[in-house]
């Protein structure tokens, strides 16, 4: 694909822990096009934040081990490049981040304005790529400030000038998240990684924030990698959805197809777990496996109704079941249930 | 201090013959707002004239956004916060102004489940000790009898007995939630206040925990007050629901009636904001703007008028009372027919 922006290929990441080596990502393959909003959906512990952090290059250096695979962003392998170069040129410039918790993401002792201008000093599109310790020229500062004010207006913050003089505790959670989105857009990025940006917010504020995020990134042609555990939020803004389970990607499909024709048994049960009028409350039996000693093969097989011997032997390879719709399962829901499956 | 404002002890649904298990009338909880010199400069009206009742065996949902006073309501009923004004009648006894030693016996049957089960268990105690503690405080049972009851409860909440010897950090969030519930159930309560019982859980775990609530309700004949911000969960399990906005109940009634035909504009916007999978996208035409005003400086008249698209002049003049305009469905809006 010529418009491919990001390609994660066969990525395996493990963490050292007291209990042993924890395989948090197991040969994950995943791609994004320009201007696309992709939802990375999974329960807690599924590795979605680890994947987001691996792309940003902010995995803890002494605990995380990248065992295999590569991350190509605009054709360049981020894992092979010089980390210092990535830090000045890519991270915070072409790839930016919207955090989960807007309450702890600002430093409480500095004004919002000083924190935003600090960001612009180093990462503004007007700043030379390797400005080093050079001073913040007044002309550039003025130009940056105009741009900041304009962006705060775009994210519908009332009275942007006064907002810059405020301290973080003086603004509400919804407004802080608007500021975070504005900051993520300030450097004219190509990709925004939004890590559960609405989990800490109320439902009416969530609707406003999602609307804003979708509208602004569409207008600017920015791609968004949107990690969430909330399928409803993913339905709202995503073009394509990728499901992670215990560090393995299990199904990727365009949003419409994903909700209408889920093919992986895990996706189906995840959708069924949502409270709904038709089938009441249905959970998934068992619990997410401990990743210190994960099940072999497809990691979902101990909880899967359709699992057979081959599921626990070898992880299924990626198969296409429709336009842009791929999954990794030996017994997708489009096929009849295997005869030998456990009841 | 003067507590201005008329009392509106309006009942939503027709009373059943039996007296309600819990009856809350015109409850107020005001927190003083102080300046840097500790001088009191105003009131934060966390609960302002809240009246509701809970019948035996039902699940009453309390919904609203953060800061609307739903947790304060639960905690004030429990006596964790003393009420500023109003009356709380539980099982026919007024528990509002009881001395702590008197209320202890009553409160045994009125229990509160904390929002974060991990934080409400002592990290240095094994699960066994946490489960024994309420029995030591409230009952005269011998250690053997306590152990027997604790083991029976562990089975009821679906945990293996071997978990009694674990520490809270060794079990998962869903299991901690079960332990929190077991801890309450050892005292055989009649009414359990569940404060955000599913927040922070994954959907698949949430479903099993909700099913557990329903099973335990049947097994122990419980009544729940279910405080939540998740409307789709409330719709699934509650019989009646009260919608709160800035310390007031704005709409209350039977679950079906409220969810199918909400009358208050705030309830309408709250329902419109829930993503509907497979349906129309909420973000395409979500109309509610702004955020709730500062609770220490409330607007005059209706509290919602600053965000309400329908607001007219009379909304700013006086506060609409909660009136039952159709059977089992009350709302507090001047404009609802």
């Amino acid at each position: 694909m010529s418009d491919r922006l990001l390609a994660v290929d066969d990525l395996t990441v493990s963490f050292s822990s007291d209990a042993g080596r924890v395989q948090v990502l197991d040969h994950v393959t995943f791609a994004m096009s320009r201007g696309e909003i992709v939802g990375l959906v999974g329960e807690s512990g599924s590795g979605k934040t680890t994947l987001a952090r691996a792309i940003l290059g902010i995995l803890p250096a002494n605990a995380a081990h990248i065992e295999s695979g590569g991350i190509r962003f605009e054709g360049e392998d981020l894992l092979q490049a010089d980390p210092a170069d990535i830090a000045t040129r890519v991270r915070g410039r072409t790839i930016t981040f919207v955090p989960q918790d807007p309450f702890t993401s600002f430093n409480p002792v500095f004004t919002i304005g000083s924190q935003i201008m600090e960001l612009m000093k180093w990462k503004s599109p007007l700043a030379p790529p390797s400005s080093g310790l050079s001073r913040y020229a007044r002309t550039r500062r003025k130009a940056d400030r105009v741009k900041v004010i304009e962006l705060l207006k775009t994210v519908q913050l009332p009275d942007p000038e006064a907002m810059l003089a405020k301290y973080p505790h003086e603004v509400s959670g919804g407004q802080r998240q608007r500021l975070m989105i504005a900051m993520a857009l300030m450097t004219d990025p190509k990709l925004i990684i939004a890590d559960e940006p609405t989990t800490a917010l109320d439902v009416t504020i969530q609707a406003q924030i999602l609307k804003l995020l979708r509208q602004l990134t569409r207008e600017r042609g920015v791609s968004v990698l949107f990690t969430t555990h909330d399928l409803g939020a993913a339905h709202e803004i995503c073009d394509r959805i990728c499901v992670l389970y215990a560090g393995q990607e299990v199904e990727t499909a365009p949003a419409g197809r994903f909700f209408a024709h889920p093919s992986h048994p895990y996706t189906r049960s995840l959708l069924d777990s949502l409270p709904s009028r038709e089938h009441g409350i249905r959970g998934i039996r068992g619990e997410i496996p401990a990743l210190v000693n994960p099940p072999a093969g497809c990691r979902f097989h101990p909880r899967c109704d359709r699992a057979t011997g081959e599921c626990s032997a070898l992880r299924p390879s990626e198969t296409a079941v429709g336009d842009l719709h791929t999954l990794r399962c030996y017994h997708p829901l489009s096929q009849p249930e295997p005869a030998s499956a456990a009841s | 201090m003067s507590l201005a404002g008329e009392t509106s002890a309006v009942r939503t649904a027709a009373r059943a013959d039996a007296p309600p298990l819990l009856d809350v009338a015109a409850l107020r909880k005001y927190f003083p707002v102080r300046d840097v010199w500790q001088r009191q400069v105003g009131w934060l009206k966390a609960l302002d004239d809240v009246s509701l009742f809970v019948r035996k065996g039902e699940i009453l949902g309390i919904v609203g956004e953060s800061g609307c006073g739903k947790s304060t309501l639960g905690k004030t009923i429990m006596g964790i916060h003393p009420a500023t004004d109003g009356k709380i009648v539980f099982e026919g006894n007024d528990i509002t102004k009881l001395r702590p030693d008197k209320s202890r016996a009553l409160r045994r049957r009125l229990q509160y489940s904390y929002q974060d089960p991990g934080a409400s268990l002592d990290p240095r105690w094994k699960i066994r000790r946490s489960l024994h503690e309420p029995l030591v405080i409230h009952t005269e049972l011998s250690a053997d009898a306590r152990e027997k009851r604790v083991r029976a409860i562990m089975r009821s909440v679906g945990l293996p007995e071997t978990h009694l010897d674990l520490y809270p950090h060794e079990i998962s969030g869903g299991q901690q939630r079960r332990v929190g519930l077991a801890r309450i159930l050892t005292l055989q309560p009649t009414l359990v206040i569940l404060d955000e019982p599913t927040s922070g859980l994954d959907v698949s775990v949430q479903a099993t925990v909700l099913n557990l609530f329903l099973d335990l309700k049947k097994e122990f004949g419980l009544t729940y007050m279910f405080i939540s911000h998740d409307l789709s969960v409330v719709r699934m399990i509650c019989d009646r629901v009260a919608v709160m906005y800035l310390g007031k109940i704005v709409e209350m009634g039977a679950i079906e009636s409220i969810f199918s035909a909400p009358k208050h504009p705030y309830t309408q916007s709250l329902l419109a904001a829930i993503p509907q999978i497979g349906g129309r996208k909420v973000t395409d035409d979500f109309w509610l703007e702004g955020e709730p005003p500062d609770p220490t400086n409330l607007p005059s008249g209706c509290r919602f008028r600053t965000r309400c698209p329908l607001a007219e002049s009379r909304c700013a003049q006086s506060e609409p009372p909660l009136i039952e305009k159709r059977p089992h469905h009350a709302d507090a809006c001047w404009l609802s027919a």
Side-chain angles (χ1 to χ4, degrees):
Chain A
M1 247 187 292
S2 59
D3 60 346
R4 174 160 295 182
L5 179 71
L6 175 81
V8 176
D9 186 32
D10 200 36
L11 185 71
T12 303
V13 175
S14 66
F15 283 88
S16 305
S17 78
D18 294 343
R21 202 162 256 221
V22 188
Q23 226 183 47
V24 179
L25 291 179
D26 180 24
H27 301 281
V28 172
T29 300
F30 163 82
M32 277 181 82
S33 307
R34 278 173 209 279
E36 195 181 31
I37 303 181
V38 178
L40 202 56
V41 176
E43 298 180 272
S44 40
S46 61
K48 48 189 193 303
T49 300
T50 305
L51 180 53
R53 289 187 171 193
I55 295 168
L56 275 167
I58 52 168
L59 288 172
N62 42 9
H65 311 276
I66 295 171
E67 298 188 348
S68 75
I71 300 170
R72 297 188 83 77
F73 178 71
E74 297 197 294
E76 179 189 11
D77 194 330
L78 298 183
L79 299 179
Q80 304 304 324
D82 173 23
D85 183 39
I86 296 293
T88 50
R89 205 162 40 79
V90 178
R91 188 184 321 134
R93 277 224 164 113
T94 48
I95 305 182
T96 57
F97 184 62
V98 177
Q100 171 170 5
D101 187 355
F103 298 90
T104 54
S105 308
F106 275 110
N107 188 331
V109 301
F110 295 102
T111 60
I112 290 166
S114 71
Q115 295 182 58
I116 293 183
M117 292 317 286
E118 175 74 11
L119 166 79
M120 293 307 270
K121 179 176 176 185
W122 302 105
K123 304 286 187 181
S124 141
L126 300 175
S130 56
S131 50
L133 292 172
S134 68
R135 56 194 259 303
Y136 197 1
R138 183 177 291 170
T139 46
R140 180 157 76 81
R141 181 166 14 193
K142 270 191 172 165
D144 282 344
R145 196 180 158 87
V146 169
K147 178 158 186 191
V148 167
I149 299 282
E150 183 196 319
L151 252 166
L152 295 193
K153 274 189 198 130
T154 330
V155 297
Q156 296 153 23
L157 280 165
D159 199 359
E161 297 274 357
M163 185 62 83
L164 290 179
K166 283 184 179 175
Y167 285 91
H169 74 269
E170 294 177 280
V171 302
S172 69
Q175 288 184 341
R176 266 182 260 196
Q177 202 58 299
R178 283 172 198 270
L179 283 165
M180 285 293 162
I181 292 176
M183 284 171 80
L185 286 166
M186 265 167 210
T187 57
D188 293 332
K190 304 231 168 61
L191 172 67
I192 296 180
I193 293 178
D195 189 8
E196 307 233 15
T198 58
T199 329
L201 304 176
D202 284 314
V203 59
T204 54
I205 310 295
Q206 165 175 306
Q208 295 171 0
I209 295 288
L210 289 179
K211 184 175 176 179
L212 186 72
L213 186 63
R214 192 178 57 171
Q215 185 191 329
L216 291 183
T217 52
R218 280 273 185 277
E219 279 168 12
R220 285 148 210 258
V222 181
S223 299
V224 182
L225 178 64
F226 181 82
T227 75
T228 183
H229 66 272
D230 181 356
L231 288 162
H235 166 74
E236 286 299 326
I237 73 164
C238 294
D239 302 320
R240 214 151 52 83
I241 292 174
C242 173
V243 182
L244 277 179
Y245 177 78
Q248 297 180 327
E249 90 283 15
V250 298
E251 183 167 7
T252 308
R257 253 190 92 84
F258 178 86
F259 290 108
H261 306 286
S263 286
H264 196 283
Y266 174 64
T267 315
R268 177 78 264 168
S269 3
L270 198 61
L271 287 169
D272 284 347
S273 312
L274 295 170
S276 85
R277 321 246 64 214
E278 294 104 70
H279 34 258
I281 310 164
R282 287 202 301 218
I284 307 177
R285 64 184 167 88
E287 293 201 345
I288 290 190
L291 297 180
V292 176
N293 191 11
C298 171
R299 289 183 175 179
F300 186 59
H301 81 260
R303 302 172 77 186
C304 182
D305 291 331
R306 310 176 75 121
T308 56
E310 61 183 331
C311 299
S312 51
L314 189 69
R315 190 177 170 209
S317 56
E318 194 174 272
T319 45
V321 286
D323 193 21
L324 295 171
H325 186 171
T326 57
L327 82 160
R328 301 185 79 149
C329 184
Y330 291 118
H331 311 292
L333 297 171
S334 49
Q335 290 170 14
E337 201 158 328
S340 60
S343 62
Chain B
M1 95 196 166
S2 81
L3 294 174
E6 61 279 66
T7 294
S8 60
V10 179
R11 291 286 168 269
T12 48
R15 286 276 187 100
D17 292 342
L21 188 62
L22 176 78
D23 196 349
V24 174
L27 188 67
R28 290 168 208 273
K29 176 66 204 174
Y30 293 0
F31 293 101
V33 178
R34 297 183 192 277
D35 64 8
V36 284
W37 292 282
Q38 293 298 304
R39 288 180 310 198
Q40 194 222 311
V41 290
W43 292 106
L44 191 159
K45 300 182 179 180
L47 291 176
D48 202 2
D49 192 14
V50 169
S51 296
L52 53 85
F53 66 95
V54 188
R55 284 198 218 90
K56 193 165 170 37
E58 76 174 352
I59 305 180
L60 173 70
I62 309 283
V63 298
E65 295 180 283
S66 43
C68 74
K70 54 192 194 302
S71 283
T72 307
L73 175 62
K75 288 182 176 169
T76 308
I77 291 172
M78 275 309 293
I80 298 169
H81 297 313
T84 308
D85 192 28
K87 213 165 134 181
I88 305 162
V89 179
F90 175 62
E91 293 184 325
N93 303 299
D94 187 345
I95 58 169
T96 329
K97 302 230 153 58
L98 278 185
R99 291 216 320 269
D101 57 322
K102 292 263 169 50
S103 69
R104 183 171 297 161
L106 286 168
R107 294 205 198 279
R108 190 182 138 184
R109 295 193 299 281
L110 172 65
Q111 287 290 333
Y112 184 84
S113 154
Y114 278 90
Q115 191 163 346
D116 184 349
S120 57
L121 292 170
D122 191 319
R124 301 198 296 174
W125 284 8
K126 287 184 176 164
I127 303 297
R128 169 173 286 114
R129 186 164 172 200
S130 288
L131 289 182
H132 273 271
E133 190 194 27
L135 291 171
V136 172
I137 293 169
H138 284 282
T139 68
E140 305 286 312
L141 293 174
S142 68
D144 287 347
R146 289 203 308 262
E147 179 69 16
K148 224 174 122 192
R149 200 191 278 184
V150 163
R151 282 172 185 271
I153 292 290
M154 282 293 271
R155 271 196 301 280
S156 303
V157 298
L159 288 175
E161 283 178 14
T162 49
H163 272 45
L164 287 171
D165 292 312
L166 297 180
Y167 288 97
H169 75 268
E170 296 178 284
I171 60 178
S172 69
Q175 289 176 333
Q176 287 176 348
R177 194 96 28 178
R178 284 166 196 261
V179 171
L181 215 55
R183 194 160 188 254
I184 287 164
L185 293 174
T186 50
L187 291 173
Q188 298 164 341
T190 48
L191 177 66
V192 179
I193 299 172
L194 299 166
D195 192 357
E196 299 273 8
T198 59
S199 68
L201 295 180
D202 285 312
V203 275
S204 68
V205 182
Q206 167 178 293
T208 48
V209 169
L210 287 176
N211 277 327
L212 177 72
F213 288 145
L214 296 178
D215 292 344
L216 292 173
K217 175 173 181 287
K218 225 178 277 168
E219 189 180 339
F220 295 95
L222 298 173
T223 304
Y224 289 139
M225 213 165 123
F226 191 94
I227 300 172
S228 181
H229 68 274
D230 189 335
L231 290 138
S232 45
V233 168
V234 165
R235 182 171 200 179
M236 281 305 296
I237 78 162
C238 294
D239 302 305
R240 285 192 307 131
V241 63
V243 182
M244 290 186 70
Y245 185 73
L246 287 175
K248 278 250 177 203
I249 294 181
V250 296
E251 191 157 6
M252 176 155 70
I255 197 96
E256 264 323 299
S257 177
I258 299 236
F259 275 80
S260 56
K263 297 297 172 198
H264 196 284
Y266 177 63
T267 317
Q268 288 167 358
S269 69
L270 213 51
L271 290 175
I274 311 174
Q276 303 287 335
I277 285 174
R280 159 193 78 78
K281 287 192 174 149
V282 170
T283 41
D284 287 344
D285 53 1
F286 190 67
W287 47 267
L288 185 68
E289 288 190 348
E291 299 183 26
D294 176 10
T296 60
N297 185 16
L298 293 169
S300 67
C302 176
R303 285 161 201 224
F304 187 58
R305 74 175 165 86
T306 49
R307 298 169 80 192
C308 183
L310 310 171
E312 3 177 291
S313 59
R314 67 172 154 168
C315 299
Q317 284 154 13
S318 60
E319 193 149 21
L322 185 66
I323 297 173
E324 186 168 338
K325 293 170 186 163
R326 30 205 92 61
H328 309 297
H329 191 150
D331 67 75
C333 180
W334 290 123
L335 302 162
S336 73

